Structure formats: C-alpha cells, structure tokens
Amino acid sequence: MLTDAFEVIDKRFTRYAMANVHLETLYTGTRWAEGPAYFPAGKYLIWSDIPNDRLLRYDETTGAVSDFLKPCRNHNGHTVDREGRLVSCEHRGRCVSRIEVDGSTTILADRFEGKRLNSPNDVIVKSDGSIWFTDPTYGIDGEYEGDKAEAEIDGSYVYRIDPDSGTVSAMITDMVKPNGLAFSPDERLLYVADTGATHVEDGPRHIRTFAVSDDGSLAGGDLFATCDIGLFDGFRVDIHGNIWTSAGDGVHCYTPEGDLIGKILTGEVVANVEFGGIKRNRLFICATTTLRAVYLNTRAASRP
C-alpha cells in the first residue's frame, strides 16, 4: 500500500511510486527553498534560500546541512554542467554565473543586446554545452528576493548561451514570465513553464513544449499541461520522459503525453525538484520552508 504522501490519479503512477516509501523532511528553516542541484561525485545537494541570500548544502553521507555560500547575491536556479561546475542564476547579480574548479566565479551572461538582464531564474545545460536560461522579473520586482529595479529589456525571454562564442540569443520571446525549463531525454523537446499568472489576471500557469532542431533553433510552443493547484515552477524529467513538476500542493507527475497521473503531497508550495542519490532515483523537493526527499521507481534522464 502506498503511503499518504502519494496521490494516485492514474494507475500508471504506481509504476513509479513505491509501497512503504516515505516522504522525508531533511531540513527545516528556509524562507523560500529553490534551485536544487546534485553533485554525484561529492554525494551532496545544494539549494537556494533566496530571501535569506544563501546557498545550503545537504551532505547525503551524514545528513548534515551547512552554508555553502553566504551571501550569494540571491541565487535562484542552478544546474551542474558537463565538467561538474555549478551554473547559477543570480537575482541580485542579474546574471548567469559559473563557479570554476578553482573556486573562482565567471559571469556567463549579464546582458542582452547591451541591456541588463532582468533576473535569471532557472538554467539547464544541453549535451552540446549550450546553456539555456529563463529571465523573468521576479528578482527586480521588489526587495525580498533581490534589488528592486526597472527592467531594461521589454519582455521576459528564454535565452541560449552559445558554448563556443558565448553569444546570448533570445530563443522564446512570447511568454509572460518564463520560469522552469528542461529537455526531454533525447533533447528533441524543450519544456518551459510560464508563471505569468503572478502578473496578469487569468494569466498563464502552464508548461509549453518546443521542438528542438539540430542547430538549436526552436519550433512549436504547444500547450503541454496547465497547473490545477498553484503554479508550475521548476521541474525535472525522468528516463521515461515523465515530467515531475512543482505545484501548489506538492509535486505533480505528467506522462510525456501530458497526462497527470499522480502527485507527491507535501503540505507546502513546492518551487523546484532534483533527482539525486547514487542511482539518481531520489527526488529532492524544495518546499518553501523545507527540503524533502522521496525514493521513486525511476531515475533522472541521462545528463551530459
């Protein structure tokens, strides 16, 4: 029998939600938990506590939690690149940065066409080394998660950083507030959440899909799923192409066809998730004031 943390909407969900597996609370004490990224070599997870201007580190071998970086210029989303380096979205820095192997920091992008970015939110790295990120205005809308400022760019876009030239290109320009993003396992599809309902009455609270060509260009933009409770924020894709996405009541699981088949109920708004653990079958969940985790009968899609 499944524990109360799992809500089965379609029996297909029982392939992934295992009996007698419990939702664990690993840490309590954040104001707004976000941006989880797992480092397999070190067996640890880092995540953001944006309003408290810090990154936290969870050591999977001991269960200890410590400050990883404080202050951190209000980091939001993170990912780990092909060389095992941390790539970060900085709200207060209004940039995408990378911590190098020697500990120094490189600014990868802070402007588009000479204008300052809004406040980069979430980031992923494709197998070709290109870096993709979203840039809504949440970090400059007020003082809580960054520094209040006027936007210099007339819109919130999805960008690509070329791995060779470093050129920043706007790839999606028709979203209200692009947020979480992820590739399908074969990288032929790009999923992007739009949380524009925070700024526009009856605005978008959905995920769209874009076809990715060999040269990195995009086509389509079809509606994939609409959030029924709260908003979709960050999400991850497993080896079967299922999308595990944050929502207002926990984590929602969608099939590649867009069917909602189950939920992991947390009792708190979830901002983002990350697969980790030795087998990459442990889903870490950033749920407002807590870091949670649960083991699933699936694992992360292959990473570069």
Side-chain angles (χ1 to χ4, degrees):
M1 177 180 293
L2 296 179
T3 59
D4 292 340
F6 294 113
E7 178 183 335
V8 178
I9 297 172
D10 183 295
K11 65 180 182 180
R12 287 174 288 178
F13 188 60
T14 59
R15 302 174 189 172
Y16 313 112
M18 298 183 291
N20 299 320
V21 169
H22 299 276
L23 180 64
E24 304 167 85
T25 299
L26 306 177
Y27 179 81
T28 299
T30 52
R31 292 188 184 276
W32 181 243
E34 245 285 15
Y38 186 78
F39 288 80
K43 297 183 177 65
Y44 66 87
L45 178 99
I46 66 97
W47 80 101
S48 302
D49 182 6
I50 305 175
N52 283 324
D53 195 20
R54 60 177 178 165
L55 300 187
L56 294 168
R57 177 184 183 273
Y58 170 75
D59 187 329
E60 199 171 24
T61 64
T62 66
V65 173
S66 59
D67 285 341
F68 182 79
L69 183 63
K70 182 179 180 179
C72 66
R73 305 206 299 181
N74 300 109
H75 280 206
N76 191 332
H78 300 92
T79 194
V80 180
D81 73 5
R82 293 171 60 85
E83 283 73 45
R85 298 169 295 187
L86 180 66
V87 181
S88 308
C89 290
E90 300 186 17
H91 272 188
R92 188 150 45 89
R94 297 176 71 171
C95 67
V96 177
S97 62
R98 183 177 64 211
I99 296 179
E100 308 294 349
V101 293
D102 63 0
S104 62
T105 299
T106 299
I107 303 301
L108 301 175
D110 61 359
R111 295 179 183 273
F112 174 65
E113 296 182 342
K115 299 177 181 180
R116 293 191 71 186
L117 297 173
N118 296 320
S119 56
N121 189 283
D122 207 356
V123 60
I124 53 176
V125 178
K126 198 168 179 283
S127 61
D128 63 2
S130 60
I131 298 171
W132 299 64
F133 67 95
T134 56
D135 187 42
T137 59
Y138 295 121
I140 59 174
D141 286 338
E143 304 290 352
Y144 191 56
E145 296 187 4
D147 293 332
K148 184 175 177 58
E150 293 297 322
E152 297 183 15
I153 298 170
D154 187 22
S156 295
Y157 304 152
V158 178
Y159 295 97
R160 176 185 183 271
I161 304 174
D162 186 85
D164 298 318
S165 66
T167 300
V168 179
S169 302
M171 307 302 294
I172 303 172
T173 59
D174 66 345
M175 287 188 161
V176 181
K177 297 296 173 188
N179 205 312
L181 71 173
F183 288 108
S184 60
D186 62 4
E187 297 186 335
R188 292 295 182 182
L189 291 175
L190 174 66
Y191 299 92
V192 186
D194 192 340
T195 51
T198 58
H199 284 63
V200 177
E201 186 176 0
D202 298 322
R205 52 180 71 243
H206 54 232
I207 294 173
R208 292 168 61 188
T209 58
F210 298 83
V212 185
S213 67
D214 291 339
D215 63 3
S217 59
L218 303 178
D222 297 336
L223 179 67
F224 174 75
T226 299
C227 193
D228 62 349
I229 298 179
L231 300 168
F232 296 137
D233 195 331
F235 52 90
R236 293 291 186 269
V237 179
D238 70 15
I239 56 171
H240 306 289
N242 299 309
I243 288 80
W244 298 82
T245 179
S246 59
D249 57 346
V251 179
H252 295 188
C253 179
Y254 286 85
T255 67
E257 295 74 33
D259 299 327
L260 176 62
I261 60 174
K263 299 181 179 183
I264 304 170
L265 303 175
T266 60
E268 288 188 293
V269 174
V270 171
N272 216 329
V273 299
E274 169 75 319
F275 282 102
I278 295 174
K279 297 182 179 180
R280 301 302 298 276
N281 65 337
R282 193 182 195 189
L283 189 70
F284 290 95
I285 302 168
C286 288
T288 308
T289 65
T290 59
L291 176 68
R292 315 282 186 93
V294 65
Y295 283 96
L296 299 170
N297 192 32
T298 186
R299 56 186 174 85
S302 298
R303 277 195 171 186

